[in-house]
Amino acid sequence: MFYPDAELMAARLGEHGAPCELQVWPGQVHAFQTAASSVPEAAHAVTMIVDFVERM
């Protein structure tokens, strides 16, 4: 249910030149990154978030 909003937000940010990367993680629940200490995919997602923030 959040996906269409995320797509729209990413498109609009891009239209205005704002840095944005929309990542889709099939099979994951909303906010799965909170389980980074026990779910490898969540830990990887958090690492990717940190990489994005550091590039900004």
Side-chain angles (χ1 to χ4, degrees):
M1 108 178 169
F2 296 107
Y3 184 67
D5 288 338
E7 283 186 311
L8 180 60
M9 181 184 293
R12 289 194 176 159
L13 286 167
E15 289 168 6
H16 294 280
C20 177
E21 292 180 13
L22 176 61
Q23 295 181 357
V24 178
W25 293 78
Q28 299 299 328
V29 298
H30 180 69
F32 76 102
Q33 298 89 341
T34 60
S37 64
S38 59
V39 178
E41 294 86 353
H44 182 64
V46 170
T47 299
M48 294 179 76
I49 293 166
V50 170
D51 290 344
F52 177 80
V53 170
E54 288 177 345
R55 288 194 315 269
M56 297 302 108

